[in-house]
Amino acid sequence: LIKLAVGGQGKPATSLVASAFGAYDPNVQKYPYNFAKAQSLLRAAGADKGFTVDYLNIEGPEFDLVAQSVQEDLSKLGITMKITSVPVAQWAATGQTQKPAIGFIYYTYSDPDIITLLAQTGQPFEWAYHGDKTLDGWLSAQRLTFDQAKRRALLYKIQERINKMAYYLYLWEGFYSTAARNNVKNVHID
């Protein structure tokens, strides 16, 4: 997917908080590709006979290829995925009215608070419809504290809970280019 979506200029995403953020938890639970486990989970849920899901995609050749790749993988599990691709300017409104089972999103935001818009019940892009009051409380609390250590601890708990409950499937995060003049001091870029 990384080669399809961003020409190899990325890496697998493991959290709703991008790894470039200081509040990213590198030890968060990860879900490696495991076809047999997916089959087992579907069987345990009584969904192994197949079903159909809607996938809302942001229009673009690279995102369309990713959607088709996900569609192919899900078809091997008996899941039919209907893809709707819309221009990015229509994506949010379409998602809020159609409520797709799967909605593709990416962000270029400079603060981990973006997860509030994506994961807090009632927010515009929270399409997991989880209703998780504990998670919602932590999301609100991280917005209200000025204590960096407390906020980081909350963001770590948020990431842990989101991943443990598997509210989201992460695909990739892109690499971003930065430049600084050689007289700029104390800039650390990984």
Side-chain angles (χ1 to χ4, degrees):
L1 288 180
I2 293 167
K3 187 173 184 178
L4 284 174
V6 288
Q9 297 300 305
K11 61 183 179 180
T14 59
S15 172
L16 203 53
V17 174
S19 65
F21 292 139
Y24 167 76
D25 182 357
N27 300 311
V28 75
Q29 182 175 351
K30 296 164 182 69
Y31 292 95
Y33 181 87
N34 187 330
F35 184 78
K37 186 172 183 178
Q39 287 179 308
S40 173
L41 290 169
L42 286 169
R43 199 170 22 261
D48 56 327
K49 302 289 187 249
F51 56 92
T52 300
V53 296
D54 293 319
Y55 180 100
L56 181 58
N57 191 42
I58 296 171
E59 202 172 74
E62 63 281 339
F63 301 143
D64 291 340
L65 287 172
V66 169
Q68 292 163 12
S69 180
V70 171
Q71 182 182 50
E72 182 180 338
D73 282 350
L74 291 178
S75 74
K76 295 172 187 171
L77 293 165
I79 301 169
T80 301
M81 187 175 93
K82 293 182 184 177
I83 302 168
T84 300
S85 293
V86 297
V88 70
Q90 295 173 11
W91 178 85
T94 303
Q96 290 168 4
T97 58
Q98 292 185 2
K99 299 187 178 189
I102 305 171
F104 170 78
I105 188 171
Y106 69 92
Y107 66 83
T108 56
Y109 201 74
S110 61
D111 187 277
D113 186 53
I114 182 68
I115 63 173
T116 300
L117 296 174
L118 301 171
Q120 189 166 36
T121 301
Q123 290 294 321
F125 308 122
E126 192 282 301
W127 299 347
Y129 310 107
H130 56 70
D132 185 331
K133 291 181 181 178
T134 300
L135 177 61
D136 289 341
W138 293 340
L139 286 162
S140 291
Q142 68 85 27
R143 293 187 114 182
L144 300 174
T145 184
F146 290 101
D147 182 321
Q148 281 190 324
K150 186 175 180 181
R151 184 169 189 238
R152 177 184 290 243
L154 284 164
L155 287 163
Y156 272 38
K157 286 170 51 171
I158 290 165
Q159 292 168 80
E160 179 183 342
R161 185 158 186 105
I162 288 172
N163 282 24
K164 180 180 178 187
M165 302 305 288
Y167 292 139
Y168 297 90
L169 166 67
Y170 312 111
L171 299 176
W172 76 86
E173 59 178 76
F175 294 146
Y176 297 95
S177 300
T178 57
R181 293 176 57 117
N182 59 1
N183 64 342
V184 175
K185 305 295 183 206
N186 298 317
V187 174
H188 304 280
I189 302 169
D190 64 357

